[in-house]
Amino acid sequence: MKVWIGEYGRIIILAISVCSIILFLGDRGETGFLGLLAKGKLNATLKSEDNIELLEENRKREKPILSAKMKKLEQGKEYDLLAEEVFAVKAVSPDGEQLDVQVEALIAPSGTDKIDCIDVKKFIAEEKGVYCIRYLAQEIYQENYKNQVKKGYYFTVD
């Protein structure tokens, strides 16, 4: 009798456990797993507050407007590539605020990127031809969202 209870007791306890787990997982009532899962709501949070509205507002925000007017430059003269007198470069956020503009790349007519070996405030064109300059403007919105725009322009050096 002890052997029978020992052998079949394990099987009976296992069957009762498996049945109770299946009933808990399959129950759609308030106390079952599926019912508790259906009541739950997923939220994206920042610290202790829900920030879904903030994320949606940031996603729909327009990019800054970057504009420049290219003109012909002379070989051997010194230019400030960020000055208003040279290319009239400016960037404006969707709120109307002026943004800082950086030169991200300056491709010479030979195809080499000169940005690492020049000062953009004291640029002297050594080669004649068509240069490509890429400007970058970025806005940090609500201290956590970075919105940026990059634009490339071509100018001639004679």
Side-chain angles (χ1 to χ4, degrees):
M1 187 74 173
K2 271 186 172 179
V3 174
W4 186 81
I5 291 175
E7 289 295 322
Y8 292 106
R10 291 184 200 151
I11 295 173
I12 292 171
I13 292 173
L14 180 66
I16 291 172
S17 301
V18 168
C19 288
S20 61
I21 289 173
I22 289 173
L23 289 175
F24 171 72
L25 292 177
D27 186 13
R28 293 183 184 271
E30 290 184 18
T31 58
F33 179 72
L34 294 176
L36 292 173
L37 191 63
K39 285 195 312 186
K41 181 180 174 189
L42 299 175
N43 288 331
T45 59
L46 177 65
K47 297 183 182 173
S48 62
E49 298 178 14
D50 184 19
N51 66 347
I52 289 292
E53 293 85 18
L54 174 72
L55 294 173
E56 281 297 316
E57 181 182 331
N58 288 346
R59 188 179 63 81
K60 292 178 182 176
R61 185 169 175 83
E62 293 180 19
K63 291 192 177 284
I65 299 169
L66 177 63
S67 63
K69 293 181 182 173
M70 296 291 110
K71 67 178 189 178
K72 193 179 285 189
L73 303 182
E74 294 179 22
Q75 184 180 12
K77 278 186 135 183
E78 185 176 296
Y79 296 98
D80 181 356
L81 297 177
L82 296 173
E84 292 241 357
E85 303 85 38
V86 179
F87 291 138
V89 179
K90 61 181 172 181
V92 181
S93 73
D95 298 331
E97 299 173 13
Q98 291 288 333
L99 299 175
D100 291 333
V101 179
Q102 303 168 356
V103 176
E104 187 180 53
L106 178 66
I107 310 296
S110 61
T112 58
D113 190 357
K114 300 274 187 181
I115 196 66
D116 295 330
C117 56
I118 65 159
D119 181 9
V120 294
K121 300 214 180 257
K122 297 178 181 178
F123 170 67
I124 298 174
E126 298 170 353
E127 300 177 46
K128 287 185 177 184
V130 177
Y131 285 76
C132 176
I133 188 167
R134 189 168 52 234
Y135 288 107
L136 166 72
Q138 63 185 23
E139 167 195 38
I140 297 176
Y141 180 65
Q142 294 184 348
E143 299 178 11
N144 65 349
Y145 183 70
K146 192 181 289 186
N147 201 356
Q148 66 182 13
V149 63
K150 299 177 186 180
K151 276 194 177 177
Y153 296 95
Y154 293 94
F155 65 92
T156 306
V157 173
D158 281 336

